Amino acid sequence: MGTFTFVVRRLLELVPTLLGLLLLIFIIARVMPGDPVGLALGPEATQEQVEAFRAELGLDQPLWKQFVDYVVGLTRGEFGTSLRTYQDVGADIAQSLGATLELVIAALFIAVLVGVPVGMLSALHRDTWIDNLVRAISISGVALPRFWVGIMLQIWLGSQLGLFPIIGRDSGVPPDHVTGMYVLDSLLTFDFRALRDSLLHLFLPAITLALPSAAQLARLTRASMIEVLRQQYVLVHHAYGIHPQVVAWRFALRNGLTSVLTLVGLSFGALIENAVLVEVVFSWPGISAYGASAVLAKDFNAVVAVTLIIGLAFLLANLIVDLLYGLLDPRVRHA
């Protein structure tokens, strides 16, 4: 099977999965306790105004018809009207999606850049003080709550030392909008002042979000590398007199990364989901914070749209991981 055929088949398989997710979250959002229309209009609204607004939104229709109308709207790129902002949910998400993608990509980059080498270092120095230190830090990184880590970084590096801003994405002058990701937009427009400002604002929330994932990657990389280093082909390379560092980095690491890639793919979706606490702590205007506000306001159209986008991002990340398997392991590629 060619790569193109494989990708097309996997993309087609995403459709029933997304429809199932859409149906589930649509029903849950509609049966949540409380009256979202009354909550949106406020306590001063009359019953006639509430009923008129409900009819305008189509909420007076049977649930099955509401679902069909919503799916038809999705095919036209319409996510419904937000009960909080009274704008199209798609427009709201377009404004906040770039912020979350930038934060998640930066956090994933940091997690891989730190977790994989540290885990490999721990495996190469197994049962030494380096290994014990890495394992202790990894356990702490997984256990510490993200919001607490974020607050501590704000206090130490932001307020006391004054090295980094503690809230927001910019200092009031964002770069010209191209993709919605400020770092990338700064590079594309050659605005290096905005680039420096964007990186400074991004550093603390990205570190906070990346810490648990980096710790998990370090632990998994250590376990994978220890298993690979026991294999016969690795022992043969040592017997040939090849330097241990060359054997580890050139031959063992590539095979050890197979299981690590799985965690990286899962981490991408998990980071979007877990970004809500980081976005709230750092006042980061992303889609996760937008979704959390939508849940509190019972803004069901926004809840459904955010959940659907996070689910799609999770599925696409796993598809990319499957493709990377083929690049790392020829057996997977040929199969």
Side-chain angles (χ1 to χ4, degrees):
M1 179 186 299
T3 302
F4 178 76
T5 305
F6 172 77
V7 173
V8 171
R9 182 172 63 84
R10 287 295 303 274
L11 289 175
L12 292 177
E13 291 175 356
L14 297 183
V15 176
T17 304
L18 290 175
L19 283 177
L21 175 63
L22 175 60
L23 177 61
L24 179 63
I25 193 62
F26 187 89
I27 294 175
I28 293 176
R30 289 302 197 273
V31 300
M32 284 192 304
D35 183 10
V37 176
L39 185 64
L41 293 178
E44 302 299 326
T46 64
Q47 186 62 32
E48 290 77 11
Q49 291 173 325
V50 171
E51 294 299 330
F53 192 38
R54 182 176 286 109
E56 180 182 345
L57 296 175
L59 299 180
D60 57 339
Q61 303 295 324
L63 188 60
W64 67 266
K65 190 175 187 307
Q66 295 181 39
F67 179 74
V68 172
D69 292 341
Y70 191 84
V71 172
V72 172
L74 285 179
T75 61
R76 299 194 297 262
E78 300 173 359
F79 290 91
T81 303
S82 170
L83 296 178
R84 291 187 306 117
T85 64
Y86 301 104
Q87 301 182 56
D88 181 70
V89 173
D92 290 341
I93 290 178
Q95 294 176 357
S96 56
L97 183 59
T100 295
L101 285 178
E102 182 175 57
L103 176 60
V104 168
I105 292 173
L108 190 61
F109 177 78
I110 293 172
V112 173
L113 191 64
V114 174
V116 173
V118 168
M120 188 172 180
L121 180 68
S122 179
L124 294 176
H125 298 83
R126 185 183 179 190
D127 296 330
T128 65
W129 68 269
I130 296 178
D131 185 27
N132 294 331
L133 178 63
V134 170
R135 284 191 289 176
I137 295 176
S138 298
I139 293 174
S140 301
V142 173
L144 292 175
R146 282 185 173 89
F147 70 89
W148 183 84
V149 173
I151 292 173
M152 292 299 102
L153 291 177
Q154 285 177 323
I155 294 174
W156 294 337
L157 299 181
S159 297
Q160 295 184 355
L161 298 179
L163 298 177
F164 300 97
I166 60 175
I167 60 171
R169 296 185 69 193
D170 60 83
S171 299
V173 186
D176 294 336
H177 181 86
V178 180
T179 65
M181 294 183 281
Y182 283 2
V183 173
L184 182 58
D185 290 350
S186 301
L187 291 173
L188 292 176
T189 58
F190 300 100
D191 189 346
F192 298 106
R193 183 208 60 81
L195 176 63
R196 179 181 180 275
D197 184 56
S198 301
L199 288 174
L200 288 175
H201 281 83
L202 179 63
F203 183 79
L204 291 185
I207 289 291
T208 303
L209 186 59
L211 181 60
S213 297
Q216 292 176 343
L217 283 173
R219 297 178 65 187
L220 183 59
T221 302
R222 176 188 179 273
S224 300
M225 286 298 299
I226 289 175
E227 182 65 27
V228 171
L229 291 173
R230 293 172 178 170
Q231 300 298 319
Q232 290 293 330
Y233 75 91
V234 175
L235 300 178
V236 169
H237 282 101
H238 285 302
Y240 283 153
I242 302 177
H243 195 279
Q245 297 294 333
V246 176
V247 174
W249 288 96
R250 184 174 179 181
F251 300 105
L253 179 60
R254 182 172 181 177
N255 292 329
L257 284 180
T258 304
S259 57
V260 175
L261 270 178
T262 303
L263 181 58
V264 171
L266 295 174
S267 296
F268 184 80
L271 286 173
I272 297 179
E273 178 184 355
N274 295 325
V276 57
L277 293 176
V278 177
E279 291 183 355
V280 169
V281 169
F282 289 93
S283 298
W284 194 265
I287 189 175
S288 297
Y290 175 79
S293 301
V295 171
L296 295 177
K298 297 182 176 61
D299 188 357
F300 46 79
N301 284 336
V303 171
V304 172
V306 170
T307 305
L308 193 62
I309 289 175
I310 292 176
L312 178 61
F314 184 84
L315 294 172
L316 290 177
N318 280 275
L319 173 59
I320 295 174
V321 168
D322 288 343
L323 294 174
L324 291 177
Y325 279 152
L327 295 178
L328 289 176
D329 192 342
R331 296 171 300 178
V332 176
R333 182 167 63 249
H334 294 321

